[in-house]
Amino acid sequence: MSLLITGGTGYIGSHTVVELLQLGKDIIIVDNLSNSSTLVLDRVKAITGKTVTFIKADICDEAALDTVFKEHDIEAVVHFAGLKAVGESNDLPLSYYQNNVSGSVTLFQVMAKHGVKNLVFSSSATVYGENNPSPLDETMPTSATNPYGQTKLMVEHVLFDLARSDSEWSIACLRYFNPIGAHESGTIGENPNGVPNNLLPYVAQVAVGRLPQLQVFGDDYDTPDGTGVRDYIHVVDLAIGHVRALESLTKIKGCKAINIGTGNGTSVLEIVNTFKEISGQEINYKVVPRRAGDIGTVYADASLANTLLGWQATRNLNTMITDTWRWQSQNPNGFE
Ligand code: NAD
Ligand code: UD1
């Protein structure tokens, strides 16, 4: 039996594939390479000594997915494939709805047709919207403020409806907080296209000299130092969260939304100062007005993951930043 990993050559997918290969799992990756490269597969092999079956295909391509399910004995799917840039989603909403919503529905239809009803889905803390106080827990109301967030929320609704319609489905919607860091080998990590939107890859590129200056978006939030507070989580802890979710699917009847965070908040300036200390590099920054759509404080109540999946994060901020820096300094231009 194999596991199908959609988006498995991407940032979070590749780290999850490493953890699964190290447990002896048989892995099939489906990815259209829109935001990744097959170079990652050589790195995954170097870490694990194992190979995966790689299929270049789009999750919107029903016939291609059908062939994958016909040719392989698949027990469960981890569904990472999707577009993830909030700003771009405002400019290209149709691409986001097509890729993330239609593509996901196509995948679920093919899974249903082949009787594969075990699924772990990449959701996001963005589904908590702007109006809930942290710590955020899974019982709070959900909403979205941009097309990207809408797509995550819509797919969650599809999955709750699907599980209600057919009791054979076991589904974990993992609501990630802010994934950062890289594999401790320094050989795989986050490799954003163009100028990064997220804080950590931006800081890392300033440290390595690829970008001149970080803009700190606002220092007038109601937080200890006035800058935004987030729940950063090491990507390897997140990957292990997927392993625990797969192991727990037999217990999860229906569809469950589960936060994957540390439960701790860290400010932008704490990130900058820790990065500076660990890398020994100057991080040139200036404070600018708040970014539209941002909120001051976001962190998880991560207790459900502990009780339901037996999972909790174990890597601290120093490890997250040490591993980010190792990846960035050893691979200043990503996988190329
Ligand atoms: P990523 O872009 O590195 O990986 C996504 C992968 O999916 C890429 O390899 C891309 O080529 C592939 N892909 C995209 N559309 C596809 C399609 N139609 N068919 C086949 N493959 C396709 O992103 P990531 O950071 O690893 O994120 C993985 C998932 O987690 C995404 O669904 C994302 O929305 C979600 N998520 C990410 C974050 C984050 O901060 N990185 C936070 C919350 C949720
Ligand atoms: C962003 C997305 C969110 C997505 C998440 C993880 C927006 C509005 N939200 O959230 O939907 O789920 O990434 O992918 O884009 N910051 C700076 N300067 C920068 C970049 C960020 O000061 O150049 C600050 C932000 O204001 C924030 C913190 O750093 O306080 C983290 O930002 P970021 O990494 O973009 O994550 P989120 O804002 O949590």
Side-chain angles (χ1 to χ4, degrees), residues 62-324:
E62 186 176 347
L65 291 181
D66 199 46
T67 305
V68 173
F69 280 83
K70 270 191 196 130
E71 290 182 352
H72 300 275
D73 194 6
I74 294 168
E75 59 179 311
V77 176
V78 187
H79 177 31
F80 294 103
L83 301 175
K84 62 165 184 176
V86 172
E88 182 186 66
S89 81
N90 287 315
D91 298 332
L92 302 171
L94 293 179
S95 300
Y96 275 70
Y97 288 114
Q98 168 72 17
N99 202 73
N100 293 7
V101 182
S102 300
S104 296
V105 171
T106 302
L107 170 69
F108 307 152
Q109 277 169 330
V110 177
M111 288 175 68
K113 177 177 164 191
H114 292 272
V116 179
K117 298 182 180 179
N118 295 314
L119 172 70
V120 179
F121 169 62
S122 298
S123 188
S124 167
T126 193
V127 303
Y128 290 110
E130 299 180 305
N131 299 320
N132 292 305
S134 288
L136 298 166
D137 77 62
E138 294 84 350
T139 63
M140 288 177 169
T142 52
S143 64
T145 52
N146 54 66
Y148 166 72
Q150 282 293 357
T151 67
K152 290 292 164 194
L153 203 48
M154 287 169 83
V155 175
E156 282 202 3
H157 287 308
V158 169
L159 291 173
F160 281 110
D161 286 343
L162 181 58
R164 267 192 291 270
S165 74
D166 177 351
S167 61
E168 288 178 4
W169 282 86
S170 295
I171 303 168
C173 290
L174 302 185
R175 293 178 175 167
Y176 314 157
F177 281 68
N178 291 59
I180 63 167
H183 190 264
E184 62 176 7
S185 63
T187 54
I188 58 172
E190 189 171 13
N191 185 30
N193 264 334
V195 178
N197 301 305
N198 294 122
L199 180 64
L200 256 292
Y202 206 109
V203 171
Q205 292 193 16
V206 172
V208 86
R210 262 175 82 177
L211 291 169
Q213 187 178 56
L214 170 74
Q215 297 191 318
V216 173
F217 297 141
D219 64 355
D220 55 351
Y221 286 106
D222 184 16
T223 60
D225 64 20
T227 64
V229 165
R230 294 293 182 272
D231 186 339
Y232 297 97
I233 171 163
H234 196 298
V235 67
V236 174
D237 277 332
L238 176 57
I240 293 168
H242 291 76
V243 175
R244 294 287 103 80
L246 282 165
E247 291 165 354
S248 307
L249 282 179
T250 44
K251 281 187 294 181
I252 298 175
K253 286 290 157 217
C255 181
K256 280 266 184 246
I258 306 163
N259 287 342
I260 302 286
T262 64
N264 302 316
T266 304
S267 77
V268 176
L269 289 182
E270 283 177 276
I271 292 279
V272 169
N273 291 332
T274 312
F275 210 107
K276 187 175 152 185
E277 212 172 281
I278 285 173
S279 67
Q281 306 295 310
E282 252 333 292
I283 313 288
N284 183 17
Y285 73 87
K286 90 166 173 216
V287 177
V288 299
R290 295 178 178 193
R291 177 171 67 179
D294 270 2
I295 46 180
T297 301
V298 180
Y299 62 92
D301 175 336
S303 54
L304 185 64
N306 197 356
T307 48
L308 208 59
L309 310 180
W311 173 91
Q312 64 181 27
T314 63
R315 290 162 180 77
N316 65 19
L317 188 68
N318 276 9
T319 306
M320 296 185 217
I321 291 186
T322 301
D323 291 342
T324 303

Side-chain angles (χ1 to χ4, degrees), residues 38-53:
T38 51
L39 293 174
V40 78
L41 299 174
D42 301 331
R43 307 282 181 98
V44 166
K45 186 171 177 203
I47 297 169
T48 62
K50 295 180 180 160
T51 50
V52 303
T53 303

